[in-house]
């Protein structure tokens, strides 16, 4: 049996990011897990939805709240392939997630790099499968340059 | 004919905030205006939608992008009764709005107070009908204390 650890869930988030890449979106994926159950998965859809706010985390958080019928996600862990931006970290703040696990850092727009915050109760783990996430980003930028 | 200035549109945003108050929501309203046309109006719906991210601005921005079929709102002014939070200012950042006009300040969670930002191209006007917005907030807190 496969152990369901941070790497396991981050691989699922990376699968979501790959879907985004195939669709011509910036490759970011997110998975929300509550007591070892996946309650939401999403990838960036800003192009498809024509909505600059349709980041993977925003879609996944709203889907998780709908699935659980709960306004707060204080029992949930959110896995994201890239360090969340100001908007998404604000959404994580409001939803009071228990844990945030992210892959690659975003030195330009990542919330920690620009001095934004998540909820003080949220525990943060960084760098899980970061190389895989960075690789997807590189493939995206190579693709759009062509 | 009524002049359609900042006060005019902020009164409409305040009407949205009043709707929120009637529904037991934190009274915040938002209106998006593009070339003197209202393209979206919304109020806070976190309780009704059971979604901690359903702030007035988030709903109004997505509605405006849908209405205009545009991913960016670089010709739009967003009127909000209260200083936006980290999440909503992040959404304003991504949607590249031309102008942000807000009423009351939020010293605890307002984006300017906690050091977050909107897009550098966004022009900001503060304090329009701020007393009216503050009054609605006071009524909300009196109501929930009862």
């Amino acid at each position: 049996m496969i152990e369901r650890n941070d790497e396991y869930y981050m691989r699922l988030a990376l699968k979501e990011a790959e879907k985004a890449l195939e669709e011509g979106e910036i490759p970011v994926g997110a998975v929300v897990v509550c007591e070892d159950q996946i309650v939401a998965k999403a990838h960036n859809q800003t192009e498809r939805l024509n909505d600059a706010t349709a980041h993977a985390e925003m879609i996944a958080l709203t889907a998780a709240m709908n699935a659980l019928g709960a306004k707060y996600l204080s029992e949930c862990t959110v896995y994201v392939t890239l360090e969340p931006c100001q908007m998404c970290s604000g959404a994580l703040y409001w939803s009071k997630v228990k844990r945030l696990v992210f892959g690659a850092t975003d030195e330009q727009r990542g919330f920690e790099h620009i001095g934004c915050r998540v909820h003080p109760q949220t525990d943060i783990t960084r760098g899980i499968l970061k190389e895989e996430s960075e690789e997807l980003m590189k493939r995206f930028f190579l693709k759009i340059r062509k």
Side-chain angles (χ1 to χ4, degrees), chain A:
Chain A
M1 200 184 134
I2 300 167
E3 197 198 344
R4 296 195 163 196
N5 55 14
D6 283 350
E7 271 199 34
Y8 173 84
Y9 291 117
M10 189 59 88
R11 286 211 188 278
L12 295 179
L14 282 163
K15 274 204 178 160
E16 285 296 313
E18 276 170 31
K19 282 188 210 168
L21 184 68
E22 282 162 24
E23 293 166 11
E25 306 274 1
I26 296 179
V28 182
V31 170
V32 183
V33 177
C34 183
E35 293 169 1
D36 279 325
Q37 297 288 316
I38 294 162
V39 291
K41 293 194 285 185
H43 59 274
N44 181 28
Q45 294 200 59
T46 53
E47 297 301 324
R48 175 180 285 193
L49 299 179
N50 223 4
D51 181 343
T53 71
H55 288 194
E57 302 94 308
M58 298 304 295
I59 301 169
L61 288 174
T62 293
M65 290 185 261
N66 282 338
L68 297 171
K71 216 179 87 177
Y72 301 117
L73 301 175
S74 27
E75 297 306 318
C76 295
T77 298
V78 176
Y79 293 87
V80 202
T81 57
L82 185 70
E83 180 183 350
C85 72
Q86 174 180 327
M87 170 181 71
C88 294
S89 58
L92 290 161
Y93 170 90
W94 288 115
S95 52
K96 299 183 184 172
V97 295
K98 189 180 185 178
R99 280 185 76 210
L100 164 65
V101 181
F102 67 81
T105 54
D106 182 349
E107 284 173 27
Q108 285 207 312
R109 284 157 174 169
F111 78 103
E112 295 197 306
H113 284 83
I114 60 168
C116 286
R117 57 180 182 176
V118 291
H119 199 277
Q121 282 165 25
T122 302
D123 182 58
I124 306 176
T125 302
R126 302 161 184 84
I128 303 294
L129 301 180
K130 72 189 279 273
E131 289 80 10
E132 284 85 339
S133 171
E134 285 164 0
E135 182 58 33
L136 285 176
M137 292 301 273
K138 270 181 212 156
R139 277 169 58 197
F140 174 77
F141 286 110
L142 271 175
K143 203 171 161 181
I144 57 166
R145 255 180 234 138
K146 270 180 199 164

